[in-house]
Amino acid sequence: MGRKLKYSAKEKLLILKEVLRDEPSKVMARYNIGNDAIRCWKLLYKYQGLPGLQPGHHNQSYSRKFKHSLVEQYRQSTESIELFAILNFKNKLATGLK
């Protein structure tokens, strides 16, 4: 059984806007959201826009070659793992490089 989505992409965007207007800790407590989730949503929205806040609908399986290529690219990059994933992983999936 899959997990239930707590917030849609539009709701996440509204929460992010609320974080900018109000005290972040109050907003996070109101919606029971951790700081890591807010930080991740900010990065996703900054680099991918509203589509980046859309949830994945199912688990994926990836080839060994695809996984190794991502690891190698990450080793050569200077980004944090979180930012690398946001900038690269979804782009590669969209182009069908599994």
Side-chain angles (χ1 to χ4, degrees), residues 25-89:
S25 60
K26 288 182 180 179
V27 176
M28 290 186 293
R30 186 176 312 127
Y31 294 101
N32 194 26
I33 300 171
N35 190 48
D36 288 343
I38 296 293
R39 187 181 72 249
C40 183
W41 292 355
K42 283 180 181 178
L43 286 171
L44 285 166
Y45 186 70
K46 178 179 179 179
Y47 292 104
Q48 298 180 1
L50 192 59
L53 296 176
Q54 299 284 351
H57 293 291
H58 47 74
N59 292 330
Q60 301 275 339
S61 56
Y62 305 103
S63 70
R64 184 179 298 255
K65 182 179 178 182
F66 178 70
K67 293 175 193 177
H68 282 286
S69 73
L70 282 176
V71 170
E72 200 52 46
Q73 289 174 36
Y74 172 67
R75 286 182 177 167
Q76 296 173 11
S77 75
T78 57
E79 291 113 0
S80 69
I81 187 100
E82 190 174 55
L83 185 56
F84 177 83
I86 289 168
L87 293 174
N88 294 285
F89 191 65

